[in-house]
Amino acid sequence: MDRRTLLTSSLAGMAAAAASAPETRAQAGGSGPPPFAETMAEMTWQEADAAAKSGASVLWAFGVIEQHGPHLPLGTDVYIPSAVLRRARQILAERGHQAVILPAFYWGINQVSGAFPGSVEVQPATMIALMADVLSSVKKQGFARVFCTSGHGDALHNKTIFDGVTAGRAASGIDAAVLFNAPLVKRLGLDTASPAVLGFEVAESPARFIDVHAGDPETSAMLHIHPELVRKDLLPTLKSTDYGPADLAEWRKGQEAARAKTPLGYFGDPASADASRGAARLEGQAKAMAEVILARVGGK
Ligand SMILES: [Zn+2]
């Protein structure tokens, strides 16, 4: 077979494979907001300049590309905090404080789900260096404050966000801080008196079993934000994992141990998800974040 024939036949093979593969939601045409929606990526340089000069804060969501069970997309941890920040930005504006949203950071640490296809891993040092560069660049543009939130539970990932914030502060003098919920601040052992740490409280309804990954909370959030990306037909088939603390400790060993503990990739109860609960939770998080940001910037 000559090169041209080979190319033609391999293209024909790819087309046949694509035709027989189940249609992806992206091909079907999603209706949710695109990843850059309401971020600085949609602004012109003059608009960014004016925002910096007006004293706007910068909001930055951190997620990862990571498996989220058979029913949620790999970008779940990016979609959710991005939606929370869009709402937090509205609340801040209503209260008289302007903010801009940096495009989300989506390459990160996947110690737990790294053994699954679809989970992309980077090293902490890579992430810290990139964060320090971005934060220094944002400072150079004239922005004084950056608030970093997380959509991904992996402890090392969140510790690395804190380390990146610390590196950015040291490199540029920018007032950057992680904006984490109180249980995460506690789990990481972060010093709440540090200017690089801002904790916020959200009321969580008590659950009978632990639900930490692609279960009820995340599926509910996605049903609210991006219902077209949830494989709703699969939800009734996904049995609750009904796991407790010992299972969580085993899962958190990560990689193959996590894959063995949760062969389908979720840890929780996706079938019980509900869009209106997802909406309420998102609203609660956005309000709690806006509150601590306003306290920090001296707003009301
Ligand atoms: Zn997640």
Side-chain angles (χ1 to χ4, degrees), residues 268-287:
D269 188 10
S272 69
D274 171 78
S276 60
R277 236 180 313 116
R281 197 161 179 269
L282 186 150
E283 183 69 13
Q285 287 182 335
K287 274 189 179 148

Side-chain angles (χ1 to χ4, degrees), residues 181-267:
N181 65 34
L184 180 59
V185 171
K186 194 171 164 213
R187 186 174 158 218
L188 297 178
L190 300 180
D191 176 6
T192 49
S194 160
V197 179
L198 266 185
F200 65 90
E201 302 270 356
V202 272
E204 296 285 352
S205 38
R208 207 165 140 232
F209 297 105
I210 296 175
D211 192 320
V212 288
H213 184 71
D216 182 308
E218 285 189 313
T219 308
S220 297
M222 288 300 284
L223 283 172
H224 167 57
I225 311 163
H226 284 285
E228 79 287 356
L229 293 178
V230 180
R231 280 53 169 176
K232 290 186 268 304
D233 46 335
L234 291 180
L235 288 180
T237 70
L238 304 177
K239 256 183 88 233
S240 173
T241 50
D242 292 358
Y243 282 158
D247 303 292
L248 181 63
E250 174 65 18
W251 183 75
R252 281 183 173 160
K253 288 180 188 164
Q255 301 291 345
E256 292 302 337
R259 192 157 182 189
K261 193 77 201 165
T262 57
L264 288 178
Y266 65 90
F267 192 125

Side-chain angles (χ1 to χ4, degrees), residues 64 66-68 72 74 76-78 80 151-153 212-214 218:
V64 281
E66 178 199 23
Q67 75 79 17
H68 269 79
L72 293 180
L74 304 176
T76 292
D77 287 354
V78 184
I80 296 174
H152 176 48
V212 288
H213 184 71
E218 285 189 313

